[in-house]
Structure formats: structure tokens, C-alpha cells
Amino acid sequence: LSGKSDAHTKLDMVYALPCNASDFSDNGWLIHNYGEETVVAPGEDVYVGLEKGDMSVAVTLSNPYTTEDIALEDSLVTSISISGYNGTDAASTYIANGIHIGSSYDDLIACYGEPTEVNEVEGYEEEAYTYVTYLVDPDDYYASTTIYFTDDFIDNIIISNH
């Protein structure tokens, strides 16, 4: 939530987005492709999972700079989603200042102050929830951290920088 978007894991690795997908694979993360894609086309994004031991995260792989298709492993990671819904130890993956899945709304505000935006979504078929967004630059929605809450506790963190 500073001038760059950081995510830590319990292995004390820091990933500043955007970064090379190989930064993850070099540290033992495996790509779990949700679809049939094996490449990222120029100017396009592919959504995949990354898995390492008991951890998994969803990421966006992007190809913003080339005019050719590139392998998933050669693309850029431009967003990461840490979720409490995937059954892994998401609380061991955290953003700066120790904020993680399960942290409270009050913990977040104490660490980062008031968010750029607060949105409350009424429940109909599903439970009501709140999400907040912090922007690095108020005019740039591509560099943001969005945090979702259910019952005032974090259940999803999405960091984007592309």
C-alpha cells in the first residue's frame, strides 16, 4: 500500500508487482492453469493459480510489452488475489504491516488509514459484504489494493499494478 504493491508469504519472500512469473516459479510456485491457455497473447491477460505447498493464490499473467505470444512462465504477474475461500493457509500470506486473511476492518484502518473508496454490497442470494480500495495514485485504478470483508474480517485481498 505504498508506492509499490507488495505481498509477503510465510517464507519471507517479497513480490513487488508487476514482476516476472519466473520470480514465483524460481521460488517453487507451480502454475495451475484454469483453462487451455499455454501462452499469453500480446496485450492480453490470463488468469491462473499458483501453488506452493499448502499455499495457493490466483494471479493475472500479462503480456503488455511484446508483439508475440509468450509462454505463461515468461509473462508478468500484474495482480495477485489472496483468498480465505480456497482452503489453504491464507492467513500465512500477508501484505505489509502484517494484514492478512482474518484481520479485522479496524486492524486495516489502524495500519493504512481511511481507504480511497468504501463499498457495501447488500446480500440477496449471498451474504452481504464490504470492500475497500486503496489507490497508490487517485487517478490510476491500475495500481490498487482492494480488500473484501465479511462480518468485519478480511476474506480476500487483491493487489494490482499494471
Side-chain angles (χ1 to χ4, degrees):
L1 292 172
S2 60
K4 60 182 181 177
S5 300
D6 291 342
H8 279 276
T9 71
K10 66 183 176 183
L11 301 176
D12 291 329
M13 295 302 305
V14 177
Y15 299 96
L17 302 182
C19 67
N20 295 318
S22 61
D23 293 346
F24 282 87
S25 60
D26 289 349
N27 286 304
W29 291 87
L30 302 174
I31 294 175
H32 173 74
N33 193 349
Y34 300 130
E36 301 294 321
E37 298 91 349
T38 58
V39 298
V40 184
E44 297 293 324
D45 298 325
V46 173
Y47 304 97
V48 301
L50 296 178
E51 298 174 351
K52 180 179 184 176
D54 65 348
M55 296 179 290
S56 76
V57 295
V59 300
T60 304
L61 300 179
S62 301
N63 179 2
Y65 304 121
T66 73
T67 58
E68 303 290 328
D69 290 352
I70 57 174
L72 298 178
E73 298 80 13
D74 296 330
S75 62
L76 289 178
V77 176
T78 56
S79 76
I80 185 168
S81 175
I82 304 162
S83 176
Y85 299 117
N86 59 12
T88 63
D89 188 9
S92 67
T93 305
Y94 56 92
I95 60 176
N97 297 323
I99 296 297
H100 58 84
I101 302 301
S103 292
S104 71
Y105 185 86
D106 291 339
D107 292 340
L108 179 73
I109 301 306
C111 284
Y112 296 112
E114 292 299 320
T116 308
E117 295 179 356
V118 176
N119 298 282
E120 295 184 18
V121 178
E122 295 295 322
Y124 174 70
E125 295 285 331
E126 58 189 52
E127 193 172 351
Y129 62 93
T130 300
Y131 66 96
V132 301
T133 301
Y134 290 89
L135 300 176
V136 174
D137 175 347
D139 296 323
D140 183 6
Y141 275 85
Y142 292 108
S144 65
T145 300
T146 302
I147 300 174
Y148 292 80
F149 296 85
T150 300
D151 298 326
D152 289 330
F153 292 95
I154 296 173
D155 57 20
N156 194 4
I157 302 169
I158 300 172
I159 301 169
S160 298
N161 193 7
H162 55 94

